[in-house]
Amino acid sequence: MKTVETIKELRANIKQAKRKGKKIGFVPTMGFLHEGHLSLMRKARLETDVVVASIFVNPTQFGPNEDFEAYPRDMQRDALMTEECGVDYLFTPSVEEIYPENYVTYVDVEGDITRQLCGKNRPGHFRGVTTVVSKLLNIVTPDYAYFGKKDAQQVAVIDKMVRDLNIDVGIVPCPIIRDHDGLALSSRNTYLSSEQRKEAKILSQSLFEAEKLIYQRKLDSKKIKEFLIDRISSAKNAIIDYVEIVNGKNLNQVNEISGGVLIALAVKFGKTRLIDNIGVEL
Amino acid sequence: MKTVETIKELRANIKQAKRKGKKIGFVPTMGFLHEGHLSLMRKARLETDVVVASIFVNPTQFGPNEDFEAYPRDMQRDALMTEECGVDYLFTPSVEEIYPENYVTYVDVEGDITRQLCGKNRPGHFRGVTTVVSKLLNIVTPDYAYFGKKDAQQVAVIDKMVRDLNIDVGIVPCPIIRDHDGLALSSRNTYLSSEQRKEAKILSQSLFEAEKLIYQRKLDSKKIKEFLIDRISSAKNAIIDYVEIVNGKNLNQVNEISGGVLIALAVKFGKTRLIDNIGVEL
């Protein structure tokens, strides 16, 4: 594995591989890797010839009162983990490499798809995500890019951006990887106290229970949301940001559940905001 | 020459050419071609292996009270002209092909570079330009894209977008092509009455005179602007939108003229808004 810090050097390597007809797989991350990230890299390794992973904590997707500075970082450990997954190039640019002085260009996906769910309480978040992802896709020019479904709205927004802007890449959504008790893996789980960590399993548990209710033909989304809110509120440190049931494709609100829906939630434990979701196909 | 209406067909042809190692040159236009456009195509023909030209009157760069519907179109004549320039692929997508239903993604270059000059009285114009150009660049994936300096601000904005978003293309600015009396060629010249057409030569004449003044070390930009406004106002149908002297790179206002500056103007004759400019290197 080669660790590369500049756009120029990465591009030169990728162009050389492309000239040989190699297919490029790309896994963009913010580092502090866990099994969720690694599962994306292993899938890319299986499906493409040259695997590029990036680690870049993207300042433009954090709000002014969010955890950009505090976001956990451990480049040495991350490099060992990516190497074990068979990654060929680890791209670790500085903030200045990605956003040089006088940077002014942003990619915006408008409408409900970015305004709902996490967009409500994180204004500008998805604009930062789509801007950095479009830059990274332009730098890496992958055939396939791999994203975890834990950030379901992120995947939907990126997929919409890629289609709208005619970016020639396949977006591959990959399953959520969960801890032994069902908690979705997240770099932010490291923020949790041991009490909060125990309580946090209510998120996935309640989602799995809601899934079962839907398969039992309980299709009134208001009632399912009430059930979820009720269950999650049983954890005394849980502060619900949102619990929503939306169309799996365009993320529009759903009243009567049918077809493919996404049950998505964001819940704070102390200062730590966790998200989780489950897709249900009827 | 092959005329192609769909993204899919154009991409298939371009991918095939790229696999053979061909360099792609691209000339995006809004059609109703004149010698200015043709000079870009001839340059692309000389410098690249496969030349793609596009004709697309882009609705998102027109304001609600601008001339999108009225914008002159003549596809048959344009196709003959592009063929004569040695264009390989003429891309003529429909509005629905470029902006399908539920289209929501926009590329925004922020700051003075888009807010000044034409950005002042045409809010949203450059956002439409950068959005469609980034889409076209993603579709055509050219090695070089050719733009006329008549739209000097457009070239600067696109160049900034391409660098900010790490789009791997060379932007090639090309000289303004002028009519016998100096009027910069523009598809919109066709709107002018014969009286307006005669008067319109004052734009280039006054720019050339201002250039001479600067070479005579008259370096106070306020005075040069006053000179220009005075000269242009001698045409009785001329209504000045702006006359500005700006830094040639970042388009910031310049007081004392030095280095490379751009003298740019926009003037209305009746409903027809014309632009022109001259770069002066001291």
Side-chain angles (χ1 to χ4, degrees):
Chain A
M1 188 181 78
K2 199 166 175 178
T3 299
V4 179
E5 289 176 14
T6 68
I7 294 165
K8 198 179 163 187
E9 189 186 348
L10 184 64
R11 260 199 183 135
N13 281 294
I14 288 169
K15 283 194 176 177
Q16 205 173 13
K18 287 205 156 192
R19 271 195 294 271
K20 293 180 195 154
K22 307 282 192 195
K23 293 284 174 205
I24 313 291
F26 179 42
V27 182
T29 82
M30 299 213 300
F32 210 74
L33 303 175
H34 52 64
E35 269 303 314
H37 302 108
L38 305 186
S39 71
L40 307 180
M41 296 176 195
R42 291 195 196 100
K43 188 167 165 68
R45 180 69 285 163
L46 283 173
E47 298 177 357
T48 60
D49 303 314
V50 174
V51 178
V52 180
S54 65
I55 295 180
F56 180 65
V57 184
N58 174 36
T60 63
Q61 73 189 69
F62 288 81
N65 299 313
E66 291 182 7
D67 57 343
F68 173 66
E69 294 295 341
Y71 197 85
R73 292 158 169 93
D74 189 341
M75 195 61 85
Q76 263 192 307
R77 177 174 151 279
D78 286 351
L80 289 172
M81 291 164 92
T82 47
E83 180 143 34
E84 270 179 27
C85 292
V87 167
D88 297 294
Y89 296 100
L90 178 59
F91 182 46
T92 61
S94 66
V95 171
E96 294 68 35
E97 182 74 3
I98 297 296
Y99 299 110
E101 224 189 355
N102 301 321
Y103 187 91
V104 288
T105 306
Y106 295 90
V107 177
D108 236 325
V109 176
E110 300 187 340
D112 284 349
I113 196 170
T114 50
R115 273 192 228 119
Q116 298 217 53
L117 307 177
C118 290
K120 259 186 201 159
N121 286 329
R122 302 189 74 189
H125 167 66
F126 286 113
R127 186 171 185 253
V129 169
T130 45
T131 298
V132 80
V133 170
S134 68
K135 282 171 65 70
L136 290 169
L137 292 176
N138 286 334
I139 293 165
V140 178
T141 64
D143 295 279
Y144 298 97
Y146 298 80
F147 293 88
K149 283 191 197 170
K150 209 259 291 171
D151 303 288
Q153 188 178 11
Q154 174 174 280
V155 177
V157 169
I158 289 171
D159 192 63
K160 181 69 177 141
M161 172 190 78
V162 159
R163 282 181 291 124
D164 273 1
L165 292 186
N166 311 104
I167 301 174
D168 193 15
V169 60
I171 299 298
V172 186
C174 303
I176 298 173
I177 306 296
R178 298 181 177 282
D179 215 340
H180 59 92
D181 63 349
L183 180 67
L185 294 189
S186 165
S187 306
R188 288 188 173 99
N189 291 349
T190 189
Y191 294 146
L192 297 170
S193 72
S194 66
E195 190 194 1
Q196 290 168 341
R197 175 64 191 79
K198 274 178 209 153
E199 286 187 349
K201 72 176 174 198
I202 193 65
L203 303 186
S204 57
Q205 278 183 357
S206 61
L207 284 173
F208 292 134
E209 288 162 16
E211 181 191 29
K212 267 180 255 158
L213 291 176
I214 292 171
Y215 286 137
Q216 288 160 18
R217 315 300 295 176
K218 308 248 181 325
L219 303 179
D220 180 344
S221 90
K222 193 158 162 254
K223 284 191 181 153
I224 299 286
K225 280 195 267 183
E226 281 166 4
F227 164 81
L228 281 160
I229 290 167
D230 198 52
R231 288 287 285 125
I232 293 165
S233 303
S234 70
K236 82 174 196 309
N237 291 301
I239 300 159
I240 294 174
D241 180 352
Y242 67 77
V243 171
E244 298 286 1
I245 302 181
V246 297
N247 178 296
K249 291 228 189 306
N250 57 25
L251 306 190
N252 287 341
Q253 301 285 336
V254 162
N255 293 319
E256 172 84 5
I257 295 169
S258 70
V261 298
L262 183 77
I263 317 177
L265 52 81
V267 174
K268 277 184 142 183
F269 289 87
K271 284 186 184 171
T272 305
R273 185 176 175 281
L274 301 179
I275 59 175
D276 200 352
N277 69 80
I278 190 165
V280 184
E281 282 287 335
L282 265 195
Chain B
M1 187 182 77
K2 199 167 174 176
T3 299
V4 179
E5 289 176 13
T6 69
I7 294 165
K8 198 177 164 189
E9 188 186 348
L10 184 64
R11 260 201 182 131
N13 281 294
I14 289 169
K15 282 196 177 176
Q16 205 173 12
K18 288 206 155 195
R19 269 195 296 271
K20 293 179 194 155
K22 305 282 190 196
K23 293 284 174 205
I24 313 290
F26 178 43
V27 182
T29 82
M30 299 212 301
F32 210 73
L33 304 174
H34 52 65
E35 268 303 314
H37 301 108
L38 304 186
S39 72
L40 307 179
M41 295 175 195
R42 292 196 195 100
K43 189 167 165 67
R45 178 72 285 163
L46 282 173
E47 297 177 358
T48 60
D49 304 313
V50 174
V51 177
V52 181
S54 65
I55 294 179
F56 180 66
V57 184
N58 174 36
T60 64
Q61 73 190 67
F62 288 81
N65 299 314
E66 291 181 7
D67 57 342
F68 172 66
E69 294 295 342
Y71 197 84
R73 293 159 169 92
D74 188 342
M75 194 61 87
Q76 262 192 308
R77 178 173 151 279
D78 286 351
L80 288 172
M81 291 165 91
T82 48
E83 180 144 35
E84 270 178 27
C85 291
V87 166
D88 297 295
Y89 297 100
L90 178 59
F91 182 45
T92 60
S94 66
V95 171
E96 294 68 36
E97 182 74 1
I98 297 297
Y99 299 112
E101 223 189 357
N102 302 320
Y103 187 92
V104 288
T105 305
Y106 295 90
V107 176
D108 236 323
V109 176
E110 300 187 343
D112 284 349
I113 196 170
T114 49
R115 272 190 228 122
Q116 299 217 53
L117 306 178
C118 290
K120 259 185 200 159
N121 286 329
R122 301 189 73 188
H125 167 66
F126 286 112
R127 185 171 185 254
V129 169
T130 46
T131 297
V132 80
V133 170
S134 69
K135 282 171 64 70
L136 289 169
L137 292 176
N138 286 334
I139 293 165
V140 178
T141 63
D143 296 279
Y144 298 98
Y146 297 80
F147 294 88
K149 284 191 196 170
K150 209 256 297 169
D151 303 287
Q153 188 176 11
Q154 174 174 281
V155 177
V157 169
I158 288 171
D159 193 63
K160 182 67 177 142
M161 171 189 79
V162 158
R163 284 182 291 123
D164 274 1
L165 292 186
N166 309 105
I167 301 174
D168 193 14
V169 62
I171 299 298
V172 186
C174 302
I176 299 174
I177 306 297
R178 298 181 179 281
D179 215 339
H180 59 94
D181 63 348
L183 180 67
L185 295 189
S186 164
S187 305
R188 288 190 172 101
N189 291 350
T190 188
Y191 295 145
L192 298 171
S193 72
S194 66
E195 188 193 2
Q196 291 167 341
R197 175 64 191 80
K198 275 177 210 154
E199 288 187 346
K201 72 177 173 197
I202 192 66
L203 304 185
S204 58
Q205 278 183 355
S206 61
L207 284 172
F208 292 135
E209 288 161 16
E211 181 191 29
K212 268 181 254 157
L213 292 175
I214 292 171
Y215 285 136
Q216 287 161 16
R217 315 302 293 174
K218 307 244 183 323
L219 303 178
D220 180 343
S221 90
K222 194 159 161 254
K223 285 192 182 152
I224 300 286
K225 280 193 267 183
E226 281 166 5
F227 165 81
L228 282 159
I229 289 166
D230 198 49
R231 288 287 287 124
I232 293 165
S233 304
S234 71
K236 80 174 198 307
N237 291 300
I239 299 160
I240 294 174
D241 180 354
Y242 66 78
V243 171
E244 298 285 1
I245 302 181
V246 296
N247 178 296
K249 292 229 189 306
N250 57 26
L251 306 191
N252 287 341
Q253 301 285 336
V254 161
N255 293 320
E256 173 83 5
I257 294 169
S258 70
V261 298
L262 183 79
I263 317 177
L265 52 79
V267 174
K268 277 184 143 183
F269 289 86
K271 283 186 183 170
T272 307
R273 185 176 175 279
L274 301 179
I275 59 175
D276 200 352
N277 68 81
I278 192 165
V280 185
E281 283 287 333
L282 267 194

